[in-house]
Each structure stands twice: as C-alpha cells, then as structure tokens.
C-alpha cells in the first residue's frame, strides 16, 4: 500500500511539473496527436493509388492500422518514455533512482509518464472503433471479447518491446535510435497487412519477433477471413499468448540489465 | 554501522591498441578497502580524481555491486537489500539532484515524504528543524530550477534527511558553492554531527570541509587506503607543524633562537619572521619572543592540510 | 536575390576572398570532425534507416502491384525502391532532424559568444552543417544503398546530367534544411524555448518532404501547391525525383532551380532574423 502511495506521489509530481509548461504541453499534446493522424493519413494516401494492397481493402487495412494505433499508443503512453534510459544512464539519473526505496522500472515510468500522448491514445482508439464499424463485422461473443482483448494485448506486447529495446542501453549507451527499429518499426510493420512484406523479412518480424500475431491475425479473426499465408484460425486469438512471454522476456532482460549496470556502473 | 572488508571493485575498460584493435583491461577502482565506521562518526573520505571515492560510496549505497569483498551498512547488505537500506540512509550527490526540477522545494519535500513513507508528524518536525537551521523559508516556494546552487544544495541536504536516516553519505556536497554557502552547509553538518545520531561519510576536494567537520580522515589513492586516522595523525606522520608568524618593530638580534621552534622564514628586511613550532607550545614561543624582541603583531597559522595531502598524493 | 546570396557567403566584408574561403573551409572541417567521433551512433543510425527502408519499400511495392499500370504516382517499381532506399540515406545527409544546437545555445546564453567571433553566425552554423553533410555523405548513404541494391532492383540513371544534378540538388536540400532548422531554432530568441516549434517541425517535415510516401501520390493540385509555396519538397522529394528521373529533363532541371530559389530565400531570411535577434540581444542584453 505504502509503495503504491509513493508511485501515486511520483505521478502527482509529474503532473504538477507539467503545469509549469502549459503551452509546451498543449503543443506536445497536439503534435503527438498529429503524428498518429499522419500515420493514418498515409494509409489513405496509399490507397488512393489502388483499391487493394496485399489482398486487403482500405477498410480492412484500417482495422490493422487502428488496432496497432490503439495498442501502440497505449504502450507508448505508459512505458514509451523508458526510451530515455540512455540519457538516464549517461547523466547518472539512474543512480538517484537507485538510492530511493522503490523499484527502478515503476519509478522511471511514474516519474516521467508522458501524458502528452493522451490525445494520441484517444485518437488511436477512435480509429480502431471506426474501423470496427466500417468493416460490418458479424459479431459473436468470441469476436466481441477479441475486439476488447486484442488492443490490450497489443499494448502489453508493444510495452514489452519498449522495455526490451530500452534495456539495450545498459550494455550499449550509444545505441542511439536502434530501439526505434523495433518499437516504431514494429508499429509500422503491424499497421499494414503482413502479406505485403517479403518472405524472410516477414518471417523475422511476424513470427520470430511475434509482431504478426498482434494486429494482423486478430484483424483476420474479426473480419472472418482465412489467412492467405496459411496460419490456422485460432492464431487470431493468440495475441495474449505472445504478449505474456514478451513481458516475461522483457522483465528478464531488464533485470539482467540492472545487474549489469551495477557491475559496470556505466 | 558501516563495515567494509577487502572491498574490491574492478572495471573492464577497452584500451586502444593499434588502429582498430581494442584490448580489454581490468582496472581496480577500489582495491581491497577495509574500514569500520562506528555510529556517530564523521569520516572524511578524500583522494585525487579517479581514486575510487565515488565508487566506494556507490557500493555503500547499493548503486554498484562489489566485485569481491564484503560490505554492510546498518547491518544490511546494500545491493540485495537496496530498498530497505534506502529507507535508512540519506545520500547527497553534489552534482546530481534528488529534487523535482520544475517544482518548488516545498513540493519536492512533500513528494519525498510519500516516497519514503514518513509519518506526517515526523516529517513536519524534521522539516521545521531544517528550515530553521538552513534558512530555507526564503525560497521554499521557488521552483528548484530557479534556485542558486547554494540554495539548491541546502534543499538537497534537507531532502536527504527528511526520512531521518541513520547514515548520511555526501558526495562532494560543497562543490561549486560560494564561500557563504559553503559555510552554511558546513555549520549545518557540524551541528547535525554534534547530536551523535547520524553517521556521516563525506567525500570532498575541499579540505576545509574536512578540517571543519571530520575527526577522522581516510585518504584513498589508486583504490587503496593510504591514510586512516585523525588530521593530527596525518600532520604528525608527514611532519607538518603549526607556525608562528611575527611582525617586529626591529629585526631580531643575530643568533636569536627560540627553544622548541625553528626559524623558517624572514621577510620584509627582517620585520616579519616565521617560526615552525616543533615541540614548543604556541604560548611558550610567544612568551619567549616578547621577552627578547619588540613584537608588533603575531598570528598562529595552522598547518595547511592541502600541502600535506598534495605531498601524500605525490608520494603514493 | 543574387546579391543577397553573395553577401551570405561573404564572411567578413573587408577581408580578401581567399581568407574568407579558408575560414569557411576550416569551419566545415571542424563540423566534419565533430561527427566523425560518433562512430557507434553512425552504425546504430544506419541500422535503423535500413529497417525502415524495408518497411516502406515493401509497402510501396505492394501498392504498385495493385495500382493502375503498376505506376503509383508515376513511378515504376525500380524507381520506388530507389526513392525509398536513397531517401533513407538522404534523410540523415540532409539532416532534417538535425540537432537543435542553436536553440540550446540561445537558452543557455552561450549564443552571446557566437557574436564575438569574426564570422557571421549564420555563416558559421551553415559551415558546421555542411561539415555534418560531408560526414553523412561518406557514412550514412552507403548502408541503405547497398542493402537496397542487394534486396531490390534499383533504378540506374540513364541521362548524363542526372548524377551531377542530384549532387547539386542534395547540397541545395541540405542548405534548405539548414535554413528551415535555423529559423525554427531562432524562434527561441523570442519564445525562450524552441521546443514547441521544433516538435511541429519534426511532425510536418517528414510527411511534407516526402519521407513517408512520394508527394506525387497526393492530388496534383496539392502536390504543386506544396512545391511552389513551401520549402518542404525541396528537402527530400526533389533530389529523389531528380535521381530516379521521374520527370523529363527540362522539368528535372526546373525542379532544382525552384529548390535553389527556396535555398537562397531561406538563407536571406536567416540573415534577416539573425540580424533582428542580434539587435534585440544588444538592446535588451539577452
């Protein structure tokens, strides 16, 4: 209980700090919204040239884009700022975090929760909901449940990817933008039907890394389409099954990273 | 209170060897340090840059894990029991802030009360004491980013003490401060130390901090302890003495000697002389001088610890 | 406009040209060396560029597969692949998302020392940015280009003038990008903090410069408006269109000319803004 109070206090500190920069906050709120809007606009622009991309119509693609946007923005808002671990390591902020009587990861998350991404999350959910409507889905109990669980599972999965790629900074402080290849890159990957990608590239991102089960497969299950790539129908419901191990792996790597930091101090 | 036994911390560094090849080399930042610090002691921990001061402090606070050896603080092992230990120690990093940059000090303190789960009454009592001793009231409602370095350091000290720690670690608490702020910080720490409730370990480059605050001085160089004892013991060991500087109306008569003291300097055509006090007390030396010469003014100069330490570093 | 351009490149009006050129060259050199120390960042950055290259290229090729005549926006598949892969390299070369040095210096007050130097600030910053450009040309183009060529069929230029035109266009794009960023950063002289404008810049520049999709895929009236009324297409889209020979020779050269006009106008505007800012600094003491 006491510990939860502490995290609430950290979050409160973040909120009050932001109040000092109302204008900046408003601009960042809008621009974060803008960046997700542009992602969706891009899909519309691409479909101007053709009615079908990778075997899927605009509405069908938008379901994947919306599912991705909702899940990704959820993850980005909660743990996205862990990206800054590089800076925390370089400037020694991590040391100040380590001398407090709280766990490191929740502390970092609540100290700097990026609430400027709030509108973006709302927009992500809106796109997802609009795509659900636009596709005339034949609702069943299973599909209704999936429609709710899928974006959450996607969020958990992307959150794990954020933590995983940020952990790289424990070993490689100068890793720069490499994490973005898998966080933002992963988002771009799942925003389109995975049928568009070349074989080995798709195998790597979709199946080896698990991104294929996050948006594409649940979208197929919601649409009632069979997978042209040949995965069975139950794969549409497998998103939580990749989210759980992803979290476990992320937790493991994070813990190892903290231990590594403590043995090398840099 | 604090125990270190054969404490060792090795870092692996990559050294350039040729154009592209890099060699791994192991460097001992802390090389077999054994120290015991008792409750209520104030220990100055000094050494040249890169001697291993901060590394030791990081191992004591649970930030870094030792390569080998044992360390315990308040009966806890820092790394595995980090969060429990954190509730009972206070840490001030001179070059890093514990405070919320954009919030007034008052807010930072309030947040820290929740982070450390301090009962409201205790929190109030400690804050009141710090406010009066450190004169915080004038800037308690100013955002931290607008504070001067001295004001901020006073805030950092308060932040480190609000949960009533039994041990206080201070990493260069006076770095970059102006003279007045340094004095304020020192007298506050002296007062805190006088209560005997708080054990303090402080690293510094400013030896005036040590002279003012610490009865015990630990000098570390290349990761090893090269001196552990009082400042007096350090002076004794390195032959530094107090000296007597005397302004005279007329130069001293030829062949004048002062028992137990050595003439070490003559300036201003003999109108100013300096004696190093070997065995004589200051009183005896002054009496001897006044009886033999016309003394206008005199002062006793304490040995300069900076000189001693500089010599110590050079010899180590 | 020509006159303004000439004065922009003059370092100190009273000095002989050769001395000015030497100074400018030295500044370019130091900009180059500054980036040469970030070797690991270069590797990490190239990796990221390559991953995004794959993502964008596959999507665009899938669009082409379904498009009428297989030519979305008038590009064939080889042209699209080239557009994406060279674009991934050019992104860093042009430096659309370059470091916010100037606004940092304004906020910290260090900018005052820029005024004490014998070189005009705009010139000095431009020189440093060209140093960054040279370093990026040598290090950041190669990775995406090789990977793109291995995994996709790229378009090879058929006209003799294409490669030199592309080189000129890339330099103009860098100058244009520099000018835009300087102006965005310079808002800190008045706003104290360029964070808001920088965020808007990051947001709009990628899309409007043609990073996410070729601007030719937009409705024609919109594309033309962007080209003429904004500097954005000149930052990425123009050099890429020149390289893939999207247009007939005359229009190809015309695009570069338009880009040059924008570069000159932007530099002139930078001079003007810096001049105003200096007057404000001198009068108000920062």
């Amino acid at each position: 209980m006491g510990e939860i109070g502490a995290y609430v206090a950290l979050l409160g500190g973040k909120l009050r700090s932001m109040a000092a920069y109302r204008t900046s906050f408003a601009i960042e709120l809008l621009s974060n919204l803008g960046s997700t809007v542009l992602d969706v606009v891009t899909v519309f622009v691409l479909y101007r040239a053709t009615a079908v991309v990778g075997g899927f119509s605009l509405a069908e693609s938008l379901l994947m884009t919306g599912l991705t946007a909702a899940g990704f923005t959820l993850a980005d808002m909660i743990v996205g700022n862990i990206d800054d671990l590089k800076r925390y390591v370089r400037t020694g902020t991590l040391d100040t975090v380590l001398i407090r009587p709280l766990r490191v990861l929740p502390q970092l998350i609540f100290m700097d929760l990026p609430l400027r991404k709030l509108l973006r999350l709302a927009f992500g959910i809106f796109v997802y909901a609009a795509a659900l409507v636009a596709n005339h889905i034949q609702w069943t109990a299973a599909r209704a449940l999936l429609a709710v669980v899928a974006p959450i599972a996607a969020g958990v999965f992307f959150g794990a990817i954020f933590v995983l790629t940020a952990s790289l900074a424990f070993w490689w402080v100068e890793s720069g933008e490499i994490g973005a290849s898998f966080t933002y890159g992963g988002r771009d990957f799942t925003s389109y039907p995975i049928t568009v990608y070349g074989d080995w590239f798709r195998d790597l991102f979709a199946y080896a890394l698990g991104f294929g089960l996050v948006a594409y497969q649940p979208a197929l299950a919601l649409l009632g389409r069979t997978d042209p790539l040949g995965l069975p129908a139950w794969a549409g419901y497998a998103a939580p099954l990749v989210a759980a191990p992803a979290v476990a792996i992320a937790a493991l790597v994070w813990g190892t990273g903290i231990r590594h930091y403590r043995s090398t101090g840099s | 209170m604090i125990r270190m036994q054969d404490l060792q911390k090795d870092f692996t560094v990559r050294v350039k060897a040729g154009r592209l090849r890099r060699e791994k080399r192991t460097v001992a930042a802390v090389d077999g340090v054994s120290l015991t610090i008792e409750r209520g002691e104030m220990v100055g921990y000094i050494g040249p840059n890169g001697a291993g001061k901060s590394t030791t402090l990081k191992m004591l606070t649970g930030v870094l894990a030792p390569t080998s050896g044992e360390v315990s603080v308040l009966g806890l092992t820092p790394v595995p029991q980090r969060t429990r230990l954190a509730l009972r120690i206070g840490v001030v990093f001179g070059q890093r802030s514990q405070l919320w940059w954009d919030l007034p000090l008052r807010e930072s303190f309030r947040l820290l009360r929740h982070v450390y789960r301090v009962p409201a009454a205790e929190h109030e009592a400690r804050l009141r004491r710090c406010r009066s001793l450190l004169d915080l009231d004038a800037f308690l409602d100013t955002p931290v980013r607008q504070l001067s370095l001295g004001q901020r350091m006073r805030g950092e000290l308060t932040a480190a003490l609000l949960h009533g720690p039994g041990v206080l670690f201070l990493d260069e608490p006076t770095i970059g401060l102006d003279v007045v702020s340094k004095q304020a910080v020192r007298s506050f720490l002296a007062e805190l130390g006088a209560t005997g409730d708080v054990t303090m370990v402080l690293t510094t480059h400013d030896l005036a901090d040590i002279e003012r605050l610490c009865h015990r001085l630990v000098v570390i160089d290349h990761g090893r302890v090269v001196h552990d004892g009082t400042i007096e013991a350090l002076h004794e060991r390195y032959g530094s003495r107090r000296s007597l500087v005397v302004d005279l109306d007329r130069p001293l008569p030829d062949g004048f000697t002062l028992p137990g003291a050595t003439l070490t300097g003559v300036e201003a055509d003999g109108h100013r002389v300096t004696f190093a006090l070997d065995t004589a007390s200051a009183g005896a030396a002054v009496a001897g001088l006044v009886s033999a010469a016309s003394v206008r003014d005199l002062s006793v100069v304490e040995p300069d610890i900076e000189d001693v330490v500089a010599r110590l570093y050079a010899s180590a | 406009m020509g006159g303004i351009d000439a004065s922009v490149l003059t370092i100190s009006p009273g000095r002989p040209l050769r001395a000015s050129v030497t100074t400018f060259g030295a500044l370019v050199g130091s900009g180059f060396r500054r980036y040469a120390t970030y070797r690991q960042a270069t590797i990490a950055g190239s990796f990221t560029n390559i991953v995004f290259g794959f993502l964008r290229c596959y999507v665009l090729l899938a669009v082409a597969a379904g498009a009428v005549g297989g030519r979305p926006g008038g590009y064939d598949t080889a042209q699209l692949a080239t557009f994406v892969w060279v674009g991934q390299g050019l992104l860093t070369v042009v430096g659309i998302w370059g470091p916010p040095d100037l606004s940092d210096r304004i906020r910290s007050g260090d900018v005052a020392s820029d005024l004490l130097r014998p070189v005009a600030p705009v010139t000095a910053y431009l020189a440093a940015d060209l140093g960054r450009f040279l370093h990026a040309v040598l290090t950041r183009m190669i990775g995406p280009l090789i990977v793109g060529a291995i995994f996709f069929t790229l378009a090879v230029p058929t006209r003799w003038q294409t490669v030199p035109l592309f080189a000129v266009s890339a330099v103009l794009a860098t100058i244009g990008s520099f000018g835009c960023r300087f102006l965005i950063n310079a808002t800190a002289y008045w706003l104290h903090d360029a964070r808001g404008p920088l965020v808007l810049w990051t947001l709009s520049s990628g899309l409007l410069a043609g990073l996410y999709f070729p601007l030719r895929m937009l409705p024609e009236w919109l594309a033309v408006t962007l080209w003429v009324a904004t500097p954005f297409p000149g930052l990425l889209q123009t050099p890429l269109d020149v390289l893939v020979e999207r247009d007939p020779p005359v229009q190809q050269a015309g695009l570069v000319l338009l880009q040059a006009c924008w570069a000159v106008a932007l530099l002139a505007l930078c001079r003007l803004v810096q001049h105003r800012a200096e007057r404000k600094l001198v009068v108000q003491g920062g």
Side-chain angles (χ1 to χ4, degrees), chain C residues 175-258:
Chain C
I175 294 174
S177 150
F178 164 80
C180 291
R181 278 182 294 124
F182 189 95
L183 292 173
I184 298 284
N185 275 287
T187 57
Y189 280 120
W190 289 272
L191 302 178
H192 198 73
D193 182 341
R195 234 175 9 173
L198 271 170
V199 163
L200 289 178
W201 160 255
T202 308
L203 183 65
S204 48
S205 57
L207 183 89
L208 299 179
L211 179 66
Y212 301 141
F213 52 81
L215 298 177
R216 303 293 179 107
M217 295 179 74
L218 291 170
E220 195 175 344
W221 60 268
L222 187 55
V224 172
T225 312
L226 279 177
W227 240 285
V228 178
T230 79
F232 291 109
L235 306 181
L236 211 55
Q237 175 85 33
T238 301
L240 293 173
D241 275 350
V242 166
L243 183 68
V244 304
E245 298 172 341
R246 163 68 175 68
D247 305 292
V250 176
Q251 203 182 336
Q252 188 186 26
L255 283 175
V256 179
L257 194 66
L258 179 61

Side-chain angles (χ1 to χ4, degrees), chain A residues 61-73:
Chain A
S61 269
L62 275 179
L63 188 58
M64 296 165 205
T65 313
L67 190 48
T68 300
F72 181 83
T73 51

Side-chain angles (χ1 to χ4, degrees), chain C:
Chain C
M1 253 184 203
I4 294 165
D5 186 31
S7 78
V8 163
L9 286 173
T10 306
I11 285 172
S12 170
R15 289 162 71 200
L17 181 66
R18 186 192 283 178
S20 298
V21 170
T22 313
T23 312
F24 193 81
L27 288 168
V28 171
S30 77
F32 183 93
R33 276 189 298 280
R34 177 180 157 198
Y35 280 86
T37 56
Y38 301 140
R39 204 173 309 172
Q40 301 190 34
T42 304
I43 297 168
S46 292
F47 179 86
T48 310
N49 289 150
I50 288 166
V51 171
F52 280 97
F54 276 115
L55 289 166
R56 299 212 168 106
C57 196
Y58 280 128
V59 170
L60 281 179
L61 293 185
V63 169
V68 188
R71 295 177 69 95
Y75 303 93
D76 66 25
T77 52
Q79 284 174 316
L80 279 176
T82 312
F83 191 97
V84 168
W85 286 100
V86 177
Q88 285 298 315
L90 205 57
L91 176 65
T92 335
V93 169
V94 170
I96 291 181
W97 296 325
D101 289 348
L102 177 63
S103 58
D104 285 350
R105 287 177 73 80
I106 294 171
R107 211 170 36 173
S108 66
D110 291 345
V111 75
S113 65
D114 292 348
L115 304 182
L116 301 176
R117 299 210 184 113
V119 186
V122 177
T123 316
Y125 280 101
L126 176 62
D129 201 56
L130 289 177
R132 184 200 57 70
F133 162 83
L134 283 179
H135 180 258
V137 167
L138 294 178
T139 57
R140 298 296 290 271
M141 283 300 289
I142 190 87
L145 206 56
I146 289 178
V147 173
I150 291 174
F151 289 95
F152 299 90
T153 310
L154 300 186
V156 181
T158 53
R159 304 173 197 153
W160 64 267
Q161 73 271 38
T162 293
V163 170
L165 260 180
F166 171 69
V168 171
S169 181
V171 174
L172 288 172
T174 307
I175 294 174
S177 150
F178 164 80
C180 291
R181 278 182 294 124
F182 189 95
L183 292 173
I184 298 284
N185 275 287
T187 57
Y189 280 120
W190 289 272
L191 302 178
H192 198 73
D193 182 341
R195 234 175 9 173
L198 271 170
V199 163
L200 289 178
W201 160 255
T202 308
L203 183 65
S204 48
S205 57
L207 183 89
L208 299 179
L211 179 66
Y212 301 141
F213 52 81
L215 298 177
R216 303 293 179 107
M217 295 179 74
L218 291 170
E220 195 175 344
W221 60 268
L222 187 55
V224 172
T225 312
L226 279 177
W227 240 285
V228 178
T230 79
F232 291 109
L235 306 181
L236 211 55
Q237 175 85 33
T238 301
L240 293 173
D241 275 350
V242 166
L243 183 68
V244 304
E245 298 172 341
R246 163 68 175 68
D247 305 292
V250 176
Q251 203 182 336
Q252 188 186 26
L255 283 175
V256 179
L257 194 66
L258 179 61
Q259 204 191 1
C261 292
W262 266 110
V264 170
L266 283 166
L267 282 185
L269 201 56
C270 289
R271 285 276 287 201
L272 185 72
V273 166
Q274 176 66 21
H275 193 70
R276 284 278 169 86
E278 281 173 22
R279 236 183 17 208
K280 175 177 169 290
L281 279 185
V282 173
V283 174
Q284 302 178 0

Side-chain angles (χ1 to χ4, degrees), chain A:
Chain A
M1 178 56 222
E3 203 161 319
I4 293 175
Y7 295 128
V8 171
L10 287 176
L11 181 58
K14 168 74 183 170
L15 283 171
R16 267 186 291 277
S17 299
M18 272 172 4
Y21 298 99
R22 271 170 228 267
T23 322
S24 279
F25 179 71
I27 291 177
E28 289 183 28
L29 201 60
L30 286 175
S31 66
N32 271 292
L33 169 66
S35 77
T36 303
V37 172
L38 291 186
D39 288 339
V40 176
V41 166
T42 301
V43 178
F44 277 94
V45 171
L46 295 180
Y47 270 91
R48 269 175 46 81
T50 168
V52 178
V53 173
F56 291 82
S57 70
L58 174 61
E60 289 168 329
S61 269
L62 275 179
L63 188 58
M64 296 165 205
T65 313
L67 190 48
T68 300
F72 181 83
T73 51
L74 180 67
D76 194 21
M77 201 187 83
I78 294 171
V79 296
N81 259 37
I82 206 73
D83 260 359
D84 269 349
L85 186 69
K86 296 184 278 290
R87 194 165 53 80
Y88 296 147
V89 169
R90 208 167 29 222
T91 58
T93 306
L94 195 58
D95 293 351
T96 20
V97 165
L98 277 166
I99 59 167
R100 289 202 183 133
L102 296 173
R103 284 189 292 165
V104 177
L105 185 57
Q107 227 187 127
L108 289 176
I109 288 173
F110 285 105
M111 259 168 56
D112 212 1
L113 199 70
L115 290 164
R116 58 178 184 276
K117 294 171 180 171
L118 208 61
L119 274 185
R120 168 194 248 198
L121 173 61
F123 180 73
I125 294 170
F126 166 76
V127 175
Y128 177 51
L132 283 176
V133 173
N135 276 294
H136 310 293
I137 290 165
Q138 291 178 343
W139 290 104
T140 62
R143 279 192 186 139
L145 184 66
L146 180 64
V148 176
V149 171
I152 296 169
V156 172
F157 182 81
F158 276 114
I161 299 290
F162 267 111
V163 173
L164 212 53
T165 53
S167 303
L168 190 61
F170 286 122
W171 289 272
W172 187 13
V173 185
E174 303 293 322
S175 57
E177 295 301 304
I178 238 172
S181 309
F182 300 101
T183 53
Y184 291 86
R187 177 201 61 187
D188 286 2
F189 181 86
T190 63
S191 290
Y192 294 91
I194 64 171
T195 46
V196 305
Y197 303 107
D199 289 341
W200 68 270
F201 190 79
R202 179 173 56 224
D203 290 348
L204 178 69
F205 264 79
Y207 307 125
L209 299 177
F211 282 102
L213 297 172
V214 169
Y216 174 73
Q217 288 292 346
L220 289 181
L222 289 168
L223 295 167
R225 281 188 59 160
T226 48
D227 184 8
L229 300 168
L231 244 57
W234 60 261
Y237 295 84
L241 298 182
V242 288
V247 168
I249 293 169
L252 189 74
V253 171
W254 176 267
T256 315
I258 291 276
R259 267 199 300 285
H260 180 80
Y261 177 80
R262 285 177 147 176
S263 73
T264 60
S266 62

Side-chain angles (χ1 to χ4, degrees), chain B:
Chain B
M1 243 339 84
I2 300 176
R3 252 175 34 80
M4 291 173 254
Q5 188 64 50
D6 301 320
L7 194 60
Q8 180 91 20
K9 183 71 203 175
D10 296 335
F11 290 123
T12 313
V13 288
R14 280 169 211 279
V15 193
K16 261 198 175 170
R19 277 186 67 82
L20 289 172
R21 235 157 41 82
R22 302 226 171 138
E23 259 172 25
K24 276 190 181 180
R25 204 173 294 166
T26 305
V27 176
V30 172
D31 195 2
V33 168
S34 298
L35 284 175
T36 305
I37 296 170
E38 301 298 339
R39 182 185 164 86
E41 269 196 283
M42 294 176 80
V43 178
Y45 200 62
I46 66 167
N49 280 331
K53 300 183 302 267
S54 295
T55 307
T56 313
L57 233 51
K58 284 180 181 177
M59 285 193 281
L60 289 170
T61 50
V63 172
L64 278 182
T67 307
S68 66
E70 281 168 37
V71 56
S72 90
V73 178
L74 294 156
L76 299 169
T77 312
V79 168
Q81 295 173 299
R82 177 181 71 79
T83 49
R84 277 180 65 196
L85 180 65
L87 288 169
R88 298 175 58 193
I89 61 171
V91 185
V92 175
F93 290 124
Q95 288 166 301
R96 271 164 219 164
S97 185
Q98 269 258 54
L99 304 167
W100 276 255
W101 195 241
D102 294 312
L103 297 184
L105 265 186
R106 191 192 295 277
E107 285 286 320
S108 283
F109 297 154
R110 207 186 58 77
L111 293 173
L112 285 169
R113 178 172 94 72
H114 291 289
V115 169
Y116 285 90
R117 290 159 256 165
V118 185
E122 278 181 41
H123 174 83
E124 270 313 310
R126 291 193 191 111
L127 181 56
R128 209 173 311 127
R129 182 149 174 265
C130 287
R131 274 164 66 174
S132 69
L133 285 176
L134 285 165
D135 277 331
L136 300 179
D137 287 359
F139 50 87
L140 209 49
D141 291 305
T142 313
V144 171
R145 70 187 130 87
Q146 290 170 11
L147 297 181
S148 73
L149 198 55
Q151 291 172 331
R152 208 197 78 201
M153 187 47 68
R154 287 188 260 168
E156 300 279 357
L157 282 170
T158 308
L161 290 167
L162 284 174
H163 53 288
V167 179
L168 185 59
F169 294 103
L170 302 144
D171 195 8
E172 313 224 12
T174 56
I175 196 164
L177 300 192
D178 61 84
V179 182
V180 179
S181 300
K182 275 186 182 174
Q183 285 302 346
V185 167
R186 282 176 200 144
S187 20
F188 174 76
L189 292 176
E191 189 138 342
L192 189 69
T195 62
D197 298 332
V198 184
T199 310
M200 260 186 257
V201 178
L202 104 126
T203 76
T204 185
H205 279 292
D206 190 335
L207 296 164
D209 292 345
I210 308 277
E211 291 192 297
R212 176 75 205 279
L213 295 171
C214 303
H215 307 292
R216 182 172 168 197
L217 178 64
V218 174
V219 185
I220 181 170
D221 194 25
H222 290 100
R224 291 172 174 277
V225 174
V226 291
H227 174 83
D228 178 6
T230 59
I231 295 178
E232 289 74 30
L234 185 71
H235 287 311
E236 216 159 278
R237 192 165 147 198
Y238 291 91
S240 48
R241 296 155 293 180
R242 298 208 290 173
S243 51
L244 196 60
V245 180
V246 192
D247 286 345
L248 301 159
D249 286 329
R250 287 180 300 279
L252 287 168
D254 279 350
F256 177 88
T257 58
L258 201 55
T262 321
L263 184 67
T264 54
V266 179
E267 293 164 77
D269 297 330
H271 289 278
R272 168 173 285 189
V273 292
T274 306
F275 288 96
L277 302 178
D278 303 325
T279 54
S281 71
V286 171
L289 266 167
V290 171
S291 66
S294 153
V295 174
R296 190 190 298 160
D297 195 8
L298 56 81
S299 58
V300 180
V301 178
E302 293 297 321
D304 192 352
I305 185 177
E306 306 219 11
D307 288 348
V308 182
V309 172
R311 261 183 286 156
L312 193 68
Y313 293 167
S315 68

